[in-house]
Amino acid sequence: MMMTGAATARSAFDTELDGSYPVDLQVRTLPGEARIPDSAVAKAAALPGVKHIARLELVGTMEAGGQALDVYGISDADALTVLANPANRPGPTSAVIPKRIKVDSGSVVAGTLSTNVTATPATTDGYSALVSLDTFAPLPAADPLYKETGAPLWISVDESLDANALLDLRTALTGALNVSEYRVDGAVLEKVMFNKVIDMLLLVVTGLLAVAVFIALIGVANTLSLSVLERTRENSLLRALGLTRGQLRGMLALEAVLIAGVAAIIGSVLGAVYGWAGAQSALGSFADVTAVIPWGQILAVVVVAAVAGLLASVVPAHRAAKLSPVAGLAMD
């Protein structure tokens, strides 16, 4: 249940975060703040794990869907590098706007730009309007509007970085760019935070699962011990008819594996259903929840349960095998 719930929650969080942040990391600017020097940007771009840094340039304002939007420009080369989804890249005469603004693709929106543009909804809400710097010129730094918004940075990072490496990279970026740590955010950092919480919950549940497996091992051993006592004459008769000690132990081991394996399979099926239902009830109000079944982890649980059942059969099988057929048949 917890494994399915965790995998489903990860998928839901990832989808929701991808819809909130257009890029891996972004460095937000403050009103009236001086432009981050190009030398600092170059220093940050040289850090291990950074693939590319793109600076957004303010080019004007526009109106879309009844809302006034600041319009930023990005070069086509930068957009190709930092924007993984092609739907979020502006064209020569198009402006990509947040998906929350209901404007049909292809409609012409007038504004303060030098030319009309076609408004195309993006797949995220993580920015204002975006156009191509290959078409529109940026505003000068002395422009009052530029002083209010600045020039934020978009950063793409190496996909192979783990959670600790990403946190270290954020610290290194804040030092290289001389900005506060809270101004560096993005989808990858949010995913790290959520994944750390989920991993901690899974670690606790895995510890509880280990205790449950140990208790179940004792339960299966007790069940087999009672079975051996109740079937003493039957087992002795089988021995008298030619069943070897090894075959008797194998029969009891198979019985233990069946008990543990069937219980684990039934529990896994019910747990997957309950895990998805729990994730749906907890996250369905603000995210699209799609069931994700961690087949590898569930298979590992079933295998561990089967092995535990096999281990539980050792003592009862040894007791049954060491009893001689004559003594067993003589028992009432």
Side-chain angles (χ1 to χ4, degrees):
M1 180 184 70
M2 291 301 299
M3 289 175 179
T4 301
T8 303
R10 289 184 204 273
S11 176
F13 283 133
D14 288 351
T15 301
E16 193 67 19
L17 289 171
D18 288 339
S20 301
Y21 294 96
V23 292
D24 295 336
L25 293 175
Q26 60 184 3
V27 181
R28 293 180 282 111
T29 54
L30 300 178
E33 183 184 46
R35 180 187 180 93
I36 298 177
D38 291 339
S39 59
V41 175
K43 181 180 178 181
L47 292 173
V50 175
K51 293 174 62 177
H52 189 74
I53 298 181
R55 189 194 297 272
L56 302 186
E57 300 286 359
L58 188 67
V59 300
T61 62
M62 66 178 292
E63 184 177 342
Q67 299 186 35
L69 301 173
D70 293 328
V71 182
Y72 289 92
I74 186 172
S75 68
D76 291 345
D78 286 342
L80 186 64
T81 304
V82 300
L83 292 171
N85 193 331
N88 295 331
R89 302 170 190 163
T93 60
S94 67
V96 180
I97 60 176
K99 66 177 182 180
R100 67 178 182 275
I101 300 178
K102 306 302 181 183
V103 177
D104 294 335
S105 177
S107 62
V108 176
V109 180
T112 58
L113 294 172
S114 59
T115 182
N116 292 340
V117 294
T118 301
T120 304
T123 62
T124 75
D125 281 327
Y127 54 85
S128 187
L130 189 68
V131 296
S132 173
L133 282 178
D134 295 351
T135 303
F136 300 95
L139 294 177
D143 190 282
L145 182 61
Y146 180 91
K147 292 182 178 180
E148 293 179 5
T149 58
L153 303 177
W154 280 358
I155 305 173
S156 62
V157 301
D158 190 346
E159 297 86 355
S160 63
L161 295 180
D162 58 16
N164 292 329
L166 286 171
L167 295 177
D168 291 341
L169 177 59
R170 179 177 65 175
T171 302
L173 285 171
T174 58
L177 298 173
N178 194 27
V179 297
S180 301
E181 193 168 284
Y182 75 91
R183 290 167 54 188
V184 180
D185 58 11
V188 292
L189 292 176
E190 295 292 334
K191 290 176 183 179
V192 166
M193 181 186 69
F194 286 118
N195 285 335
K196 289 184 71 172
V197 173
I198 293 173
D199 290 341
M200 182 59 65
L201 290 175
L202 275 181
L203 183 62
V204 173
V205 172
T206 301
L208 295 176
L209 177 62
V211 176
V213 169
F214 178 73
I215 295 173
L217 187 147
I218 297 175
V220 172
N222 289 338
T223 300
L224 288 178
S225 297
L226 291 174
S227 176
V228 168
L229 291 176
E230 292 172 354
R231 297 186 301 183
T232 299
R233 291 175 59 85
E234 176 187 339
N235 292 337
S236 298
L237 178 60
L238 291 174
R239 288 289 316 283
L241 293 175
L243 191 70
T244 65
R245 283 190 172 90
Q247 290 172 332
L248 179 59
R249 284 194 293 264
M251 182 182 69
L252 293 174
L254 179 59
E255 182 178 341
V257 170
L258 286 174
I259 293 173
V262 170
I265 291 173
I266 294 174
S268 297
V269 172
L270 293 176
V273 174
Y274 291 147
W276 172 81
Q280 177 65 40
S281 63
L283 307 176
S285 60
F286 63 88
D288 294 330
V289 179
T290 302
V292 178
I293 309 298
W295 297 109
Q297 294 177 349
I298 291 178
L299 179 61
V301 170
V302 173
V303 171
V304 169
V307 172
L310 183 62
L311 293 175
S313 71
V314 172
V315 174
H318 177 72
R319 183 184 298 120
K322 73 177 183 178
L323 184 64
S324 69
V326 175
L329 289 172
M331 295 180 63
D332 293 330

